[in-house]
Amino acid sequence: MKRVIIGAWLLMALSYHAVGQNMQRVKKVVEELSSPAFFGRGYTHKGDSLAASYIVNQLKKRGIQPPGETYYQYFSMGINTYVGNPVLKVDGKRLINGTDWVAYPTSPGMEGTFPVRSISKTTLSSKKRLTELLSSNLSQSFICFDSTVIKNEALHAFARNLFTSDRLMVKGIIEQVETPKYSARRYVNNYGTLRIRQDFMKASTDSISINLKNRFINNYTSQNVVGFIEGKTDTCITLIAHYDHMGMFGEALYAGANDNASGVAMLLELAGYFKKHPPHYSIQLIFFGAEEAGFYGSEYYVANPVYPLSKTKLVINFDMVASGTQWTELIHANLYPDIKKQFVIINDSKQYITHLKPTGYEATSDHYHFHDAGVPALFFWTAGGNENYHEPGDTADKITYPVFQGIYKLVIDFIESKH
């Protein structure tokens, strides 16, 4: 009897370890990818290429081969970057890059002291005041909208379009924000957009001083990274996550621990599992570049697939999966009732995720290019604990992984149930 009990205990332990991933390994991957060594995985110091090389080495350690001769799929694009340390002074006070302000990445370089014109709803709704404003020369002025404009979405869009039209074209727009969010873009506007913490913009502020140097790279080379695990059939399930982030804004480092070193860690854990437990369907793993620059890596891949889209049964995307204190969205699930039903049945039975929310179509990450090309595509995204999204504070020490293991186990059960 004792032997039977011991044998059962061993079976349970082996079963647990077969599914349960190594969270120490997960955290190490996230910590490494979000460290200063990768320069924010953006377009300064080739941080994205350094991250891609890291991922390839991780795939090799797990014995995972590329689908062809190389792991890399290269592509070129234009990208706007900022060089040196940008300087912005408001009321004589120099603001901290990344924390107090950022330039929206469509902004051109600019240097000098420029007047600030504050615009309210009253200004825009008064024919006399608006006429006087529009008859003045604003080409060297920054327009700053107050809260009465910002909180009115339609009015804000109208005002922004008005002051950046060819006829009026201001020097720039100031967006007063609670926290400045950064991004990446593949083009440059004729005007600047500055996101400044609202604490620093006073009614009495009549000018700002700025020194912002940009470098637009016409043919920047980035890459996707692709791995492949052969199953019992050449039809594949494709697991995807973007590895790129915003890089740096001056000395401000955008670590991107949750967004999206966590998704990379998820793919690597799933890769390790399916390498040891090959499923019925083959598994393709794609780590996308340039997601933050308008989902361009996935756009390029769908137009130039490494593995035939016709043999791709399903795509599952993972982004920001180290958070999730409120709920976990399974985006696009409502578009595929049978797939949604299978996920819900498994989750209801195993209780992997407490608050799983299937939703409809959202063109919010790399999955949607596959859907638009006719390939079913889902997207795991978590809500709650994302307060440092697109800020320097998205660091490894701040994330708690509340649903990471649940998502991992749910995806494994789903894939292994599809025979």
Side-chain angles (χ1 to χ4, degrees), residues 43 242 244 259 288-297 319 364-366:
Y43 311 102
H242 77 90
D244 67 304
D259 184 17
F288 283 119
E291 193 267 1
E292 302 290 6
F295 321 130
Y296 189 65
D319 196 354
T364 50
S365 188
D366 292 314

Side-chain angles (χ1 to χ4, degrees), residues 149-407:
V149 177
I150 294 170
K151 292 178 180 179
N152 186 322
E153 187 175 340
L155 184 61
H156 189 199
F158 162 77
R160 187 183 181 93
N161 290 335
L162 176 66
F163 289 106
T164 58
S165 64
D166 289 339
R167 188 171 72 88
L168 295 176
M169 191 56 69
V170 295
K171 188 69 177 180
I173 300 288
I174 293 174
E175 295 181 348
Q176 298 184 69
V177 296
E178 291 184 8
T179 53
K181 307 289 187 182
Y182 197 40
S183 191
R185 288 295 179 267
R186 292 180 281 124
Y187 60 93
V188 181
N189 286 328
N190 294 328
Y191 61 93
T193 299
L194 310 183
R195 290 177 169 172
I196 303 176
R197 272 180 48 196
Q198 56 197 17
D199 320 40
F200 296 103
M201 296 304 300
K202 314 295 185 194
S204 58
T205 300
D206 60 4
S207 67
I208 60 169
S209 296
I210 187 169
N211 187 345
L212 179 69
K213 293 181 172 64
N214 80 310
R215 180 187 174 212
F216 186 82
I217 307 171
N218 283 302
N219 292 296
Y220 184 92
T221 299
S222 191
Q223 58 280 304
N224 300 320
V225 174
V226 188
F228 195 82
I229 301 169
E230 188 173 349
K232 296 176 182 178
T233 173
D234 61 356
T235 298
C236 77
I237 293 176
T238 297
L239 307 177
I240 67 174
H242 77 90
Y243 67 85
D244 67 304
H245 200 53
M246 261 66 71
M248 302 181 72
F249 182 68
E251 71 277 16
L253 173 72
Y254 290 81
N258 191 29
D259 184 17
N260 187 34
S262 67
V264 172
M266 177 69 78
L267 251 64
L268 290 173
E269 286 300 296
L270 290 168
Y273 176 85
F274 286 117
K275 178 63 180 177
K276 294 177 181 178
H277 308 86
H280 178 75
Y281 296 110
S282 296
I283 300 292
Q284 183 180 212
L285 307 139
I286 312 178
F287 304 82
F288 283 119
E291 193 267 1
E292 302 290 6
F295 321 130
Y296 189 65
S298 54
E299 179 183 339
Y300 183 87
Y301 181 91
V302 169
N304 305 274
V306 172
Y307 198 77
L309 296 182
S310 61
K311 290 185 176 294
T312 303
K313 184 177 182 65
L314 176 66
V315 173
I316 307 176
N317 186 19
F318 304 90
D319 196 354
M320 300 173 66
V321 289
S323 49
T325 55
Q326 295 178 0
W327 65 79
T328 300
E329 292 186 7
L330 187 52
I331 294 167
H332 276 200
N334 289 341
L335 305 178
Y336 319 112
D338 291 342
I339 295 174
K340 169 187 170 180
K341 181 179 178 181
Q342 186 69 16
F343 269 106
V344 170
I345 288 173
I346 294 170
N347 192 60
D348 285 349
S349 172
K350 301 292 184 68
Q351 292 295 300
Y352 287 142
I353 300 169
T354 304
H355 301 291
L356 181 65
K357 290 179 60 175
T359 70
Y361 182 85
E362 291 185 30
T364 50
S365 188
D366 292 314
H367 60 283
Y368 92 93
H369 285 302
F370 289 91
H371 168 83
D372 288 0
V375 180
L378 304 174
F379 175 24
F380 277 99
W381 179 86
T382 64
N386 302 330
E387 293 80 10
N388 296 295
Y389 170 74
H390 283 205
E391 297 175 22
D394 182 10
T395 52
D397 60 306
K398 292 188 178 71
I399 51 181
T400 58
Y401 305 91
V403 294
F404 191 96
Q405 294 182 70
I407 294 172

